[in-house]
Amino acid sequence: MIKNYLKIAWRNLLKNKGFTFINIVGLSIGVAACILISIYILHEVGYDKQVPNSGNVYRMIGNYLIDGRVETGVHFSANTASTVLEDFAEVENSGRLMANGLFYGAGSNEIRIEGKSMQHHEEGFAYADQSILDIMGIPMVHGDASTALSEPKTIVISETMAYKHFNTENPVGQVMYLNGNNEDPFRINGVMKDFPSNSHLDYDFFITLEGVEFGEGEQTRWFQNNYFTYLVLRPDTEVAAFEEKMSNTLIHTYMKPAFLAAGFVMGETLEDQLSMSLQKLTDINLYSAQIDFESSYRNDVKIIWIFGIIALFILIIASINFVNLSTAKSVSRAKEVGVRKAVGSSRRYLVGQFLTESILITIIAFVIGIVLSGLLMPLFREMSGKALTLPWDSPVFIPLVLAAAFLVGTLAGLYPSFYLSRFNPAKVLKGMMGQSKKTSGLRSGLVVFQFTISIILIVGTLIVNQQMDFILNSKIGFEKEQVIQLYGTNMLNDRVGTFKDELKNLKGVSSVSISDYLPIEGTKRNGNPFLNEGREQLDETVGGQAWVIDEDYLETLGMKLVKGRNFLEERSSDDEATIINQTMVEKLNLENPVGKRISRFGQLYEVIGVVENFNFNTMKQEIQPLCFFRGISPSIVSVKADTGDMPALLSAIEGKWREFMPNMAFRYAFMNDSFAKMYSNVSRIRTIFLAFAILAIFVACLGLFALSAFMVEQRKKEISIRMVLGASFQNIYKLLSINYLKLVGISILVALPIGWYMMSRWLEDFTYKTNMGWEVFLGATVIALIIAMVTISYQSVGAALTPPVKSLRTE
């Protein structure tokens, strides 16, 4: 029986090549899209699940009530981890991680291996407790994981770094120097396996925190927050109850007394302003969108849902094509059903036959879809920025895909099978069988559904694209064009000023500045308390950034002074002066800020200028208060170019670099590229959204094209008679197109409010965002209508131009 089903099914597929081709193409595209997006989603939801006991590992979160809104942070004081471990029986282990480039050794460094002269720039440095290796279950290639970071001045490097700098040699015991400091050696005490691509940790170097103190008293000071703190809870811990208990104990027993003793007024109401909670390790990648100063490379669970829905809808659209085409062809297969029933075929047999055809089509489509996804995987890897591969080695991959093929084939074929098999043989054989209104209504509803989804995707694509353009092209308060960043200039030590002067004399250079603090991600950030003079014991502090810059910083980055003046090199008193941004003026309630003095850690600074606000975080965050102080932070030198011959200028700058640092590679970047990199995740989302929106629209158009073709085929004699009786081209085109355009119009009315709602939710993550004006929705409407008209017009125009005699000569 099965063999007979397959033989007849295969013959029917070959007989109806157009029907078969459109269904297989649509389904295979849908399958490929589903596979690619599914692999992407599995990669993202699988973050950190490789960590042993990951279900009981948490990261501490701080929730701060500031100006009526809650800000969330992940940095805690050095003694938080040890205190929680000692005071709470629910905690099995705790550990700290510190990757703040503000402190020597963290972030990026110039390294030199003992016995070699060449300096190498490397990134991905972080300070870590020995317990971090234990908590994260980090496997070691060389060295003992239980003691690798237990001694002062030890460092663990990744397998990639070990191979890069030592080839196949075991580097344990070798010595490494950072940033030209030959008096401070670090002994390599272990080589760890590289972190997998779906780990929120992406470091290549762990420096021990054993014996480290970043400033006097830093390890015991409760209000100096620089560390990620991880906890391992006992499996039977009630997390919500523990969060409340931990938060109350830490605030009342430790933090509040420490804040009051230090003279912070906010200590009096600390319990009303601060609470602590826990974030599961496996939630860090997808549930950190609202955390301040979290990496912009984190994903967002909203994006995962959106992509998952897109993949599902593409597959549904392709399945709808099958249902629509099968019911549209019902007239051409009605006689076949009538004859089969007349010679004794049961309805059960007919249902089995039509389901076999459906499943055969889906199996062929799934096989092609798998091949297609494999061919597209390199492109998708580049689009997503993720190390994705097809799981050929998984024993469940192929069986799962085949099971999905049977399921999709069965579900897509159920309605056509039961619909076709219920035909009355007497009516069919007498020629009394036509398309029912019920079936026609179902097809219309499915077409509306297809185009509703397509239009929602068009709206989403337009708004994501508009937001990206807004980010990259809106006024941000500084000039990022033609600014060249030179890295590693801290290796010049006291010669950095001379290097700056040499660069200023080059043709095509308008200004040069020395500062590690730049309005792009990956440069230095901090958090300091500020107060107005005389209000130290009366007001709550204002948290803000304290950036060290030189006199040429504002000119080099094109920042605008709205009041006062810049730092002057000849004025030594400017060492005790500050330039503040407009947000700091507002937060400190300074009506006439120039000449006023503000306090920072008890030291007073005179405000000599006010700079216009500029974005120095991503546009998902509000502009924070900021103070500039004069000084040197020498790791980055910024060069403002004023030339049309950038290659010549870069060559001249490199020549100066070789004069000063012959044993170190010349590294640079353009600030506009660095700025765009901050939004690489949003840019990837835009690309993926666009790609899959185009696929969904294409699959929907395939179905619409096929339906219009069948409609023209069924009505060709009617069209010919109308033409003989004098109907014009316009009349015929309108006759064949108007119904489908009405369906697209209904789709537009349904899709636009849904698209507006969904994209409003997405834009909520951005503090600074584009306006969803009427032109976006008008554009989506026009695009949808053009796509539909082009799809329908091929068949409609062809029918209207066909000579009537070709259709009528058989009558």
Side-chain angles (χ1 to χ4, degrees):
M1 183 69 74
I2 297 297
K3 182 179 179 182
N4 191 46
Y5 281 164
L6 290 172
K7 185 184 293 184
I8 295 173
W10 183 250
R11 286 173 180 170
N12 273 312
L13 296 186
L14 294 178
K15 181 181 177 182
N16 300 286
K17 293 183 178 64
F19 166 84
T20 303
F21 175 79
I22 288 174
N23 271 316
I24 288 177
V25 169
L27 276 173
S28 59
I29 289 173
V31 169
C34 273
I35 289 174
L36 292 174
I37 292 181
S38 296
I39 290 172
Y40 174 83
I41 291 174
L42 289 173
H43 180 273
E44 296 302 292
V45 301
Y47 259 71
D48 296 307
K49 288 186 177 178
Q50 73 280 351
V51 173
N53 198 28
S54 61
N56 296 317
V57 181
Y58 296 82
R59 182 174 69 168
M60 286 186 64
I61 299 291
N63 307 294
Y64 308 89
L65 183 63
I66 299 175
D67 295 334
R69 61 185 180 85
V70 176
E71 293 185 1
T72 307
V74 290
H75 296 96
F76 289 86
S77 61
N79 48 2
T80 301
S82 58
T83 301
V84 171
L85 181 61
E86 292 170 6
D87 286 13
F88 301 100
E90 296 91 338
V91 180
E92 289 184 345
N93 203 353
S94 67
R96 303 168 301 167
L97 196 65
M98 204 285 289
N100 189 342
L102 188 67
F103 298 99
Y104 175 84
S108 61
N109 294 287
E110 309 301 324
I111 70 169
R112 183 179 67 82
I113 308 301
E114 188 174 51
K116 298 180 180 179
S117 60
M118 195 67 184
Q119 300 282 347
H120 297 274
H121 174 80
E122 296 295 354
E123 300 181 358
F125 282 80
Y127 284 89
D129 284 323
Q130 167 61 42
S131 56
I132 287 294
L133 297 181
D134 306 327
I135 291 170
M136 300 299 173
I138 298 172
M140 304 293 284
V141 180
H142 300 293
D144 185 354
S146 63
T147 60
L149 292 175
S150 60
E151 299 176 10
K153 297 296 179 182
T154 53
I155 188 169
V156 169
I157 68 177
S158 70
E159 190 174 12
T160 294
M161 290 297 110
Y163 184 79
K164 178 178 178 180
H165 294 288
F166 300 96
N167 206 347
T168 56
E169 178 187 355
N170 181 355
V172 172
Q174 296 275 9
V175 172
M176 179 183 295
Y177 298 95
L178 305 184
N179 303 314
N181 187 351
N182 296 325
E183 307 301 319
D184 193 18
F186 289 87
R187 186 179 79 252
I188 299 173
N189 216 24
V191 176
M192 59 184 173
K193 279 279 189 182
D194 292 342
F195 287 107
S197 60
N198 57 348
S199 170
H200 84 285
L201 302 178
D202 55 357
Y203 305 105
D204 283 308
F205 302 86
F206 278 150
I207 304 173
T208 183
L209 275 167
E210 188 68 31
V212 173
E213 187 171 48
F214 300 104
E216 185 178 352
E218 180 262 348
Q219 290 292 300
T220 57
R221 193 176 290 131
W222 281 97
F223 41 81
Q224 191 167 341
N225 301 318
N226 297 307
Y227 298 84
F228 299 124
T229 300
Y230 296 87
L231 307 178
V232 181
L233 300 187
R234 299 188 187 282
D236 57 349
T237 301
E238 179 60 47
V239 177
F242 173 71
E243 285 177 326
E244 184 176 0
K245 175 183 174 183
M246 176 188 69
S247 185
N248 290 335
T249 301
L250 289 179
I251 291 170
H252 288 282
T253 306
Y254 299 102
M255 294 182 177
K256 186 170 184 176
F259 275 60
L260 291 173
F264 292 113
V265 175
M266 68 176 296
E268 297 174 0
T269 57
L270 191 62
E271 61 272 9
D272 298 324
Q273 297 174 276
L274 172 64
S275 66
M276 275 158 274
S277 56
L278 298 176
Q279 181 183 37
K280 288 187 69 171
L281 180 72
T282 51
D283 286 346
I284 290 175
N285 180 54
L286 295 180
Y287 295 89
S288 298
Q290 302 304 321
I291 296 178
D292 294 325
F293 300 112
E294 181 60 279
S295 171
S296 65
Y297 298 106
R298 299 274 181 263
N299 212 324
D300 188 342
V301 69
K302 291 180 185 176
I303 301 302
I304 297 302
W305 276 105
I306 289 171
F307 285 170
I309 291 169
I310 289 174
L312 182 61
F313 279 157
I314 292 176
L315 192 57
I316 290 174
I317 287 171
S319 300
I320 285 173
N321 284 348
F322 180 84
V323 174
N324 274 345
L325 296 182
S326 296
T327 55
K329 280 180 62 64
S330 59
V331 172
S332 63
R333 300 198 68 174
K335 289 184 180 179
E336 174 192 343
V337 173
V339 171
R340 284 174 179 271
K341 281 192 171 185
V343 296
S345 180
S346 67
R347 187 177 183 188
R348 179 181 175 185
Y349 177 88
L350 290 170
V351 168
Q353 178 61 57
F354 292 128
L355 278 178
T356 300
E357 291 181 22
S358 173
I359 292 171
L360 183 59
I361 286 175
T362 55
I363 289 176
I364 295 171
F366 268 69
V367 171
I368 295 173
I370 293 173
V371 174
L372 190 59
S373 63
L375 294 174
L376 292 174
M377 182 57 78
L379 177 61
F380 187 62
R381 247 194 319 265
E382 185 178 342
M383 286 167 53
S384 65
K386 305 287 183 179
L388 305 175
T389 56
L390 285 175
W392 296 113
D393 55 343
S394 172
V396 300
F397 177 59
I398 297 298
L400 189 64
V401 171
L402 290 176
F406 275 98
L407 179 63
V408 171
T410 301
L411 293 176
L414 275 177
Y415 179 80
S417 300
F418 282 99
Y419 173 74
L420 291 172
S421 63
R422 76 180 182 185
F423 287 168
N424 186 310
K427 288 184 178 181
V428 168
L429 296 175
K430 288 179 181 180
M432 299 170 61
M433 189 67 193
Q435 293 282 323
S436 72
K437 291 183 178 180
K438 183 178 178 181
T439 307
S440 179
L442 174 67
R443 283 204 307 277
S444 297
L446 292 177
V447 169
V448 168
F449 179 83
Q450 283 183 312
F451 266 84
T452 297
I453 299 305
S454 300
I455 294 162
I456 290 172
L457 291 177
I458 292 171
V459 170
T461 302
L462 291 176
I463 291 174
V464 170
N465 190 65
Q466 186 172 303
Q467 175 65 12
M468 195 65 195
D469 289 341
F470 174 80
I471 288 170
L472 295 178
N473 300 317
S474 63
K475 182 181 179 183
I476 52 177
F478 66 93
E479 295 176 6
K480 60 184 184 294
E481 305 300 327
Q482 287 207 303
V483 177
I484 307 165
Q485 302 156 223
L486 309 181
Y487 296 100
T489 49
N490 55 303
M491 296 295 291
L492 288 165
N493 298 318
D494 56 1
R495 296 185 299 154
V496 68
T498 306
F499 180 66
K500 172 185 173 180
D501 292 337
E502 290 285 324
L503 292 179
K504 288 172 72 173
N505 292 328
L506 292 177
K507 182 181 178 181
V509 173
S510 62
S511 63
V512 181
S513 173
I514 305 169
S515 179
D516 300 351
Y517 296 88
L518 295 171
I520 53 174
E521 193 171 66
T523 59
K524 285 185 178 179
R525 296 290 183 271
N526 54 34
N528 287 188
F530 295 92
L531 286 161
N532 288 315
E533 181 182 15
R535 306 293 298 179
E536 287 83 354
Q537 303 300 321
L538 301 173
D539 296 338
E540 292 185 2
T541 58
V542 171
Q545 294 285 306
W547 289 15
V548 178
I549 67 171
D550 63 9
E551 299 86 354
D552 297 310
Y553 185 91
L554 300 184
E555 180 187 354
T556 302
L557 298 188
M559 293 178 178
K560 182 181 178 182
L561 274 170
V562 293
K563 290 182 181 179
R565 63 174 177 85
N566 194 5
F567 295 116
L568 299 175
E569 186 175 357
E570 62 273 14
R571 285 202 184 187
S572 59
S573 60
D574 279 1
D575 290 339
E576 296 181 359
T578 182
I579 298 171
I580 63 179
N581 71 349
Q582 291 169 311
T583 303
M584 182 64 83
V585 173
E586 178 187 339
K587 297 296 183 182
L588 289 175
N589 295 314
L590 295 171
E591 291 186 10
N592 298 299
V594 176
K596 299 289 178 62
R597 296 203 297 177
I598 62 175
S599 171
R600 170 184 173 237
F601 295 127
Q603 184 173 348
L604 293 173
Y605 296 87
E606 181 185 353
V607 178
I608 63 170
V610 177
V611 70
E612 186 178 62
N613 277 342
F614 61 94
N615 290 90
F616 53 86
N617 297 318
T618 68
M619 290 192 180
K620 291 186 175 184
Q621 300 170 344
E622 290 186 352
I623 296 174
Q624 290 186 313
L626 178 143
C627 287
F628 288 131
F629 299 95
R630 187 169 73 170
I632 293 293
S633 51
S635 295
I636 302 174
V637 168
S638 298
V639 180
K640 178 68 173 180
D642 183 18
T643 178
D645 191 357
M646 190 62 73
L649 177 57
L650 287 171
S651 179
I653 293 173
E654 184 174 7
K656 289 296 179 185
W657 183 278
R658 299 296 177 201
E659 291 178 20
F660 279 81
M661 288 179 287
N663 292 325
M664 189 170 159
F666 174 59
R667 294 186 305 109
Y668 71 93
F670 290 100
M671 183 172 280
N672 54 348
D673 293 336
S674 300
F675 181 80
K677 191 177 178 182
M678 292 170 62
Y679 300 96
S680 59
N681 208 27
V682 179
S683 182
R684 289 192 184 102
I685 289 168
R686 172 172 67 172
T687 304
I688 295 172
F689 213 111
L690 176 62
F692 287 103
I694 290 172
L695 285 180
I697 294 164
F698 175 73
V699 174
C701 288
L702 272 180
L704 193 60
F705 177 84
L707 281 177
S708 62
F710 279 117
M711 178 189 65
V712 169
E713 181 66 24
Q714 291 169 7
R715 302 182 69 176
K716 62 183 179 181
K717 290 184 174 62
E718 174 195 345
I719 293 166
S720 298
I721 293 171
R722 287 177 178 271
M723 294 176 70
V724 168
L725 295 175
S728 65
F729 172 86
Q730 289 83 358
N731 295 140
I732 300 301
Y733 181 81
K734 181 179 178 182
L735 173 72
L736 297 175
S737 305
I738 193 67
N739 287 335
Y740 287 110
L741 291 178
K742 285 179 181 178
L743 297 179
V744 174
I746 295 170
S747 300
I748 290 169
L749 293 176
V750 174
L752 293 186
I754 297 174
W756 175 86
Y757 173 77
M758 292 178 65
M759 298 317 296
S760 295
R761 293 294 304 273
W762 179 71
L763 287 172
E764 285 176 359
D765 289 340
F766 294 88
T767 300
Y768 304 96
K769 53 198 172 191
T770 185
N771 292 319
M772 288 195 296
W774 59 267
E775 64 276 3
V776 173
F777 300 98
L778 177 62
T781 299
V782 171
I783 291 170
L785 288 172
I786 290 173
I787 290 171
M789 289 180 69
V790 169
T791 303
I792 298 165
S793 293
Y794 180 83
Q795 296 295 336
S796 301
V797 171
L801 294 178
T802 301
V805 67
K806 286 189 176 182
S807 300
L808 297 176
R809 62 184 166 187
T810 58
E811 293 296 323

